[in-house]
């Protein structure tokens, strides 16, 4: 095993972690604020990818699409929350599971109807095509971009939550929504806002993933499974937890796939199982 | 002088249970009013109706001359009606300062504007620190709220309500679960707030010593109805009140 090899696998792990973080951060945030495990979350990642395909096809530009698609996906998410989920927060969790699962199926089939069953590719922008030489190996620029994007978004989300007024309101609602409501917080609005923002993050993940993975049906389901593993490991509701969980799952999948291809999935689930046994609230979660 | 808060024939039923019936009361500006009553008399329900946490099934709530019956708790809060809870309600994983700051911010509104946030953040932090200093908690500003002793958590909750600069402060059993020393301290703090901030205070309280010590006027609830209202000395002498209390001490 050469140094180049190790570096390459490390970068692969980081690139995958970057994408996973974009999806799992939103999943975690939604659970923290709305107390809903959102099965439809992966579908917003898929929507991001398909909208990205359309946007790049129509305009011919990747960068504006990267900026434009996430807000559009966010608005779709916020509208769905305001028209469906909002009315069943007081019901037992099974209602919310069924509803978000139903939404996932409806959205997925809608995409099939509109875009057809074949996977659609997106050209990466010229700036990110090709490879750069790192430690004696040629590494695709686009994957490096994913590493940077994941880190940058992680930093921005963390700063928003800890340093701004909006962030304090969101944290307060997450801890005690009844009290926040009583103090004058518009909890309904905070929920819609957070749900929309989480969907926008997933959408960003989708646009960013499309040039690497193409946009395909089922990408939402496959990413949501990984994202659930991430939040179980990191702790539901914790942003640093999502980051740590993404890194662990990213590493387990890439290293597993490289060194022990038959057991890649086993390693990921073994880590999750160990967490569930020894620290069921996750690495960064709070014991309840 | 017009009343700051009025309830008119206020009622609330939970299914067949009539928790509050026909409660009409008027609280004057600057008054310190206590609501007492045996367990299950409907005190907390009445508080929820006044603060907007529960909608009434009958009657009206009028605050500063405005009918607020249809408004929820946040809207009433923005109009100057702040409250504390019977069970300590703070944000355990925020710092003491952040707890008060969130109260200030939520009252001020505009928390989702992206620009000009810095100045507002500083202003709300300044006001939060003032409020903490007022209650003697400034030395603990950066600690996590959950690490405070129980007595200080109750004070923190009052600091949060006071920081909202309300017209009317509703305190739900402020001395519940406190040691005798902490109770004395809290009574002192409440009296001091009322005086320094010219606050009108409405409190529900179990501890009769606290009530007779603090209140200007007392309203007595029994089975959801007002059975007596008056100065502490009148209430102490009231036969019906004595019977209500004795009758339930089984």
């Amino acid at each position: 095993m050469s140094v180049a090899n190790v570096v390459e696998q490390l970068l692969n792990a980081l690139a995958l972690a970057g994408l996973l973080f974009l999806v799992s951060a939103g999943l975690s945030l939604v659970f923290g604020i709305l107390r809903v495990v959102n099965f439809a979350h992966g579908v917003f990642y898929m929507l991001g990818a398909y909208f990205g395909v359309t946007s790049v096809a129509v305009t011919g530009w990747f960068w504006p699409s990267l900026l434009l698609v996430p807000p559009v996906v966010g608005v779709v998410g916020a509208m769905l929350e305001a028209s469906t989920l909002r009315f069943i927060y007081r019901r037992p969790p099974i209602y919310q599971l069924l509803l978000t699962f139903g939404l996932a199926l409806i959205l997925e089939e809608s995409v099939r109807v509109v875009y057809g069953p074949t996977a659609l590719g997106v050209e990466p922008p010229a700036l990110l095509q090709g490879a750069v030489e790192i430690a004696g190996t040629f590494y695709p620029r686009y994957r490096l971009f994913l590493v940077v994007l994941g880190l940058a978004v992680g930093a921005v989300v963390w700063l928003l939550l800890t340093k701004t007024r909006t962030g304090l309101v969101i944290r307060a609602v997450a801890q005690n929504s009844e009290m926040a409501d009583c103090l004058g917080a518009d909890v309904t609005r905070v929920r819609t806002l957070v749900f929309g923002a989480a969907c926008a993050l997933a959408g960003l993940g989708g646009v960013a993933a499309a040039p690497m993975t193409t946009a395909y049906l089922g990408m939402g389901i496959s990413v949501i499974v990984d994202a659930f593993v991430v939040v179980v490991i990191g702790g539901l509701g914790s942003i640093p937890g999502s980051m740590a969980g993404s890194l662990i799952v990213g590493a387990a999948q890439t290293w597993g796939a490289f060194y022990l291809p038959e057991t890649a999935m086993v390693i990921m689930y073994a880590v999750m199982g160990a967490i569930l046994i020894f620290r069921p609230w996750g690495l960064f979660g709070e014991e309840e | 002088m017009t009343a700051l808060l009025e309830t008119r024939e206020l009622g609330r039923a939970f299914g067949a249970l009539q928790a509050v019936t026909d409660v009409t009361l008027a609280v004057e500006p600057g008054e310190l009013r206590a609501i007492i009553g045996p367990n299950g008399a409907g005190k907390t329900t009445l508080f929820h109706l006044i603060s907007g946490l529960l909608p009434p099934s009958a009657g009206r709530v009028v605050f500063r001359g405005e009918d607020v019956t249809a408004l929820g708790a946040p809207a009433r809060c923005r109009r100057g009606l702040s409250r504390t809870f019977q069970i300590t309600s703070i944000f355990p994983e925020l710092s003491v300062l952040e707890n008060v700051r969130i109260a200030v911010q939520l009252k001020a509104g505009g928390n989702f504007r992206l620009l000009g946030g810095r100045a507002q953040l500083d202003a709300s932090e300044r006001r939060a620190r003032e409020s903490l200093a007022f209650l003697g908690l400034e030395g603990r500003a950066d600690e996590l709220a959950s690490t405070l002793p129980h007595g200080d958590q109750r004070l923190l909750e009052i600091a949060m309500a006071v920081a909202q600069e309300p017209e009317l402060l509703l305190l739900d059993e402020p001395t519940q679960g406190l040691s005798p020393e902490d109770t004395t301290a809290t009574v002192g703090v409440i009296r001091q707030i009322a005086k320094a901030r010219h606050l009108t205070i409405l409190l529900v309280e179990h501890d009769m010593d606290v009530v007779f010590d603090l209140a200007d006027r007392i309203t007595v609830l029994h089975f959801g109805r007002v059975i007596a209202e008056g100065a502490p000395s009148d209430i102490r002498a009231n036969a019906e009140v004595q019977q209500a209390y004795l009758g339930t001490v089984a």
Side-chain angles (χ1 to χ4, degrees):
Chain A
M1 165 171 57
S2 66
V3 175
N5 227 320
V6 172
V7 170
E8 191 180 348
Q9 292 309 316
L10 183 70
L11 288 171
N12 277 340
L14 285 173
L16 181 58
L19 282 181
L20 279 174
F21 174 75
L22 291 176
V23 178
S24 61
L27 190 66
S28 198
L29 212 55
V30 163
F31 179 80
I33 306 291
L34 289 77
R35 300 280 143 189
V36 167
V37 176
N38 181 17
F39 262 108
H41 197 69
V43 175
F44 293 102
Y45 171 80
M46 183 182 73
L47 275 187
Y50 276 96
F51 287 178
V53 168
T54 302
S55 169
V56 173
V58 171
T59 66
W61 293 323
F62 178 78
W63 294 110
S65 306
L66 194 69
L67 289 178
L68 220 72
V69 169
V72 172
V73 176
V75 168
V76 171
M79 280 164 54
L80 284 174
E81 190 278 344
S83 56
T84 60
L85 256 182
R86 176 177 293 179
F87 304 105
I88 60 166
Y89 286 125
R90 286 167 186 278
R91 303 273 182 87
I94 186 74
Y95 284 81
Q96 294 137 27
L97 278 180
L98 283 173
L99 176 69
T100 58
F101 193 62
L103 285 176
L105 293 177
I106 292 168
L107 287 171
E108 172 124 11
E109 288 310 304
S110 306
V111 168
R112 187 197 302 275
V113 169
V114 174
Y115 287 92
T118 34
L120 303 168
V122 179
E123 278 284 291
L127 185 68
L128 298 177
Q129 288 181 0
V132 281
E133 194 182 338
I134 298 172
T137 177
F138 284 94
Y139 196 77
R141 286 168 193 249
Y142 196 78
R143 293 197 181 188
L144 282 180
F145 163 69
L146 292 180
V147 176
V148 174
L149 183 70
L151 285 172
V153 171
V156 167
V157 170
W158 186 80
L159 284 173
L160 271 176
L161 282 175
T162 53
K163 303 285 177 210
T164 68
R165 291 178 303 147
T166 311
L168 183 59
V169 174
I170 291 171
R171 283 184 293 144
V173 171
Q175 284 184 33
N176 189 340
S177 64
E178 201 184 30
M179 180 72 192
D181 182 56
C182 209
L183 286 172
D186 189 341
V187 174
T188 310
R189 192 169 152 202
V190 172
R191 283 183 178 140
T192 306
L193 191 92
V194 167
F195 195 88
C199 292
L201 277 182
L204 178 62
V207 200
M212 192 169 83
T213 68
T214 74
Y216 60 97
L217 291 165
M219 70 189 289
I221 302 293
S222 79
V223 82
I224 196 76
V225 171
D226 290 349
F228 273 130
V229 176
V230 167
V231 295
V232 166
I233 291 174
L236 259 179
S238 160
I239 296 298
S242 288
M243 204 151 226
S246 301
L247 289 170
I248 291 171
V249 171
Q253 286 200 3
T254 46
W255 275 316
F258 188 73
Y259 297 113
L260 301 159
E262 304 83 10
T263 60
M265 290 294 128
V266 179
I267 293 172
M268 179 174 95
Y269 290 113
V271 174
M272 183 178 86
I275 292 278
L276 281 175
I277 292 167
F278 297 107
R279 205 180 154 86
W281 53 92
L283 294 176
F284 288 79
E286 270 148 37
E287 197 173 352
E288 286 189 28
Chain B
M1 188 166 8
T2 53
L4 182 68
L5 172 83
E6 275 181 77
T7 68
R8 295 179 188 152
E9 285 144 25
L10 203 58
R12 170 74 201 199
F14 296 102
L17 175 75
Q18 190 69 34
V20 167
T21 313
D22 251 352
V23 170
T24 297
L25 54 82
V27 180
E28 303 294 330
E31 186 181 340
L32 209 161
R33 170 76 63 95
I35 296 173
I36 63 170
N39 273 333
K43 304 184 294 285
T44 293
T45 304
L46 178 60
F47 244 45
H48 288 343
L49 296 177
I50 292 173
S51 61
L53 226 54
L54 274 177
S57 27
R60 331 248 7 123
V61 178
V62 178
F63 182 61
R64 295 164 75 186
E66 182 192 1
D67 189 328
V68 294
T69 315
L71 300 178
R76 293 189 200 187
C77 179
R78 277 192 292 277
R79 282 166 174 71
L81 202 156
S82 294
R83 71 168 287 178
T84 67
F85 286 84
Q86 187 174 356
I87 296 156
T88 312
S89 291
I90 53 174
F91 301 102
E93 299 299 321
L94 297 183
S95 76
V96 169
L97 180 66
E98 283 177 330
N99 264 278
V100 185
R101 205 180 95 210
I102 187 83
V104 175
Q105 274 183 212
L106 289 175
K107 174 76 186 293
N111 287 299
F112 300 105
R113 252 172 260 139
L114 290 173
L115 299 175
R118 193 70 234 175
Q120 290 214 33
L121 187 76
D122 293 343
S124 54
E125 178 156 335
R126 207 166 41 243
R127 241 171 79 190
R129 286 196 188 276
E130 275 171 26
S131 180
L132 281 177
F134 199 67
L135 287 149
L137 287 173
E138 69 272 33
R140 293 177 168 265
D142 296 323
E143 292 176 31
L144 273 190
S146 57
T147 62
L148 290 185
H150 182 67
D152 284 350
Q153 291 190 358
R154 309 271 351 205
L155 286 180
L156 171 57
E157 213 189 337
I158 297 176
M160 291 163 72
V162 169
Q164 296 197 312
E165 298 184 348
E167 300 274 328
L168 176 66
L169 178 60
L170 303 176
L171 300 174
D172 196 352
E173 304 216 9
T175 68
Q176 158 135 344
L178 294 188
S179 67
E181 302 87 71
D182 283 346
T183 300
T184 315
T186 304
V187 167
V189 161
I190 292 171
R191 189 177 285 127
Q192 196 192 340
I193 295 167
K195 207 153 126 196
R197 303 255 166 152
H198 303 290
L199 265 179
T200 310
I201 297 180
L202 183 63
L203 82 150
V204 162
E205 184 55 69
H206 249 103
D207 187 327
M208 287 303 136
D209 291 337
V210 170
V211 169
F212 286 110
D213 197 12
L214 270 178
D216 300 319
R217 282 176 78 77
I218 296 175
T219 300
V220 187
L221 282 187
H222 189 40
F223 291 125
R225 291 175 183 277
V226 176
I227 58 166
E229 188 176 309
S233 52
D234 300 337
I235 297 299
R236 216 189 277 269
N238 186 305
E240 200 181 346
V241 174
Q242 287 176 359
Q243 206 199 339
Y245 270 90
L246 292 176
T248 55
V249 180

